[in-house]
Every structure is written in structure tokens, then in C-alpha cells.
Amino acid sequence: MAGLLVGALSPLAKAQSGFVITGSEGVPVLSYRLDFRGIRGRLDRYRLKIPPQDVAVAEVQISADRNFDAVIDPQNVRLEVEGKPVELAEVYWDEEFRSLEVVARQPIAAGQEIRLVLSNVRNPSAAGIYRVEARVRGTEPNPLFRKVGNWLITIDDPERLTF
């Protein structure tokens, strides 16, 4: 009887293993890629996707909580649209407030996917999942920042990785 019960619950247990993080209600989780596997304390390149917006985008801002102690090199930040770099007017990294502001020289047309590429990033010192918020500022009169979504960036511990 016990074997039958375990056998019957086994597929359910397998289907329920792990967990899923979906972000805050109504806030989409955005796609990203770390080129060098996201190992804590190591250098990496972040490729952060921003979905097409319904307005032209003049500025992209990202912010993270204070536990995200990554170090971003503002000299190695770029925006891409359809794989082509966008000329930047200004890049400002505020280490104290964990905020990055990237201003395009010319607005990015509405309806295009944007990729924010951060090279030479020193990953956070602790493994974990970090929430990084994305906002954009449009070009309309009196523009306000609009929340686009969150990246849930996973940083791994090299001692826990298996090959």
C-alpha cells in the first residue's frame, strides 16, 4: 500500500519541485543574460532586455536594492536597438543608491526592443537572486519615468557549481 501511495504521488512531487518567482503583481519579469555565468565576485557582462515601449525613449534607468553590491563601470555601458549601438549623451552610476542612468543622444523610436549592455561589471559578493528594476523616460512634454519591469538576476557561488 505504501509503495502504491508513493508511486501515485511521485509525478506530483516531481512537478512541484523547485519554485517559481514571478515578481510583483502586475510588474513583468524581464529577460536578461550574463555572458560569464554570473559567478559571485567575478567580472561579467550583463545583457538586459527592455521590451518595446509605446513612446520614444530618451533615458533608461535601473535601480537595485542595497544588497546588490555589484560594481558597474559607466565607461562600459551601451544601449543597443536591433543589435546596433545607440549614441549616448550621458551615463551616470550612483554606487550609494545602486542606480544607473543612461541618456541617449537621440530618442529611441517607440516600438523597438532595447538592450542595455553592461560590460566589466563586478558581480555582487554574495550568491542569490537580486531584483533590479527598469524604468524609462519618454519624450512627451513633462515626461515621467515609467516602470517597465524587473530583472531577477541570479548570481551563483562557484563552490556550489557542478560540471
Side-chain angles (χ1 to χ4, degrees):
M1 179 82 149
L4 181 60
L5 185 57
V6 169
L9 292 177
S10 181
L12 179 61
K14 287 180 186 172
Q16 300 281 335
S17 65
F19 60 93
V20 176
I21 298 175
T22 60
S24 303
E25 185 175 329
V27 178
V29 175
L30 304 175
S31 305
Y32 75 94
R33 186 177 91 208
L34 303 181
D35 284 357
F36 304 111
R37 298 181 39 224
I39 307 298
R40 70 174 171 84
R42 293 193 186 161
L43 290 177
D44 219 320
R45 181 177 303 116
Y46 292 40
R47 296 177 186 273
L48 309 171
K49 289 184 184 178
I50 298 171
Q53 301 297 301
D54 58 358
V55 296
V57 174
E59 182 176 347
V60 174
Q61 182 185 61
I62 67 171
S63 59
D65 63 42
R66 72 182 74 177
N67 295 329
F68 185 76
D69 64 350
V71 178
I72 295 175
D73 179 359
Q75 299 299 314
N76 284 295
V77 171
R78 73 178 186 263
L79 287 176
E80 295 178 351
V81 174
E82 297 180 12
K84 295 185 173 140
V86 172
E87 193 173 340
L88 302 179
E90 183 179 1
V91 176
Y92 179 70
W93 167 240
D94 187 327
E95 193 166 353
E96 180 182 357
F97 292 106
R98 322 305 308 153
S99 174
L100 177 71
E101 298 173 18
V102 182
V103 181
R105 187 160 308 282
Q106 297 293 320
I108 298 166
Q112 297 186 5
E113 182 178 88
I114 300 169
R115 181 171 296 153
L116 179 60
V117 181
L118 311 175
S119 297
N120 202 30
V121 175
R122 175 75 57 191
N123 285 329
S125 59
I129 298 173
Y130 295 91
R131 184 179 62 84
V132 178
E133 179 181 274
R135 301 186 322 157
V136 297
R137 184 175 55 83
T139 58
E140 64 275 11
N142 301 318
L144 298 174
F145 277 101
R146 302 165 185 231
K147 190 170 188 173
V148 174
N150 296 318
W151 295 286
L152 298 174
I153 297 177
T154 301
I155 301 298
D156 287 320
D157 188 339
E159 284 82 39
R160 291 190 290 174
L161 294 177
T162 58
F163 296 95

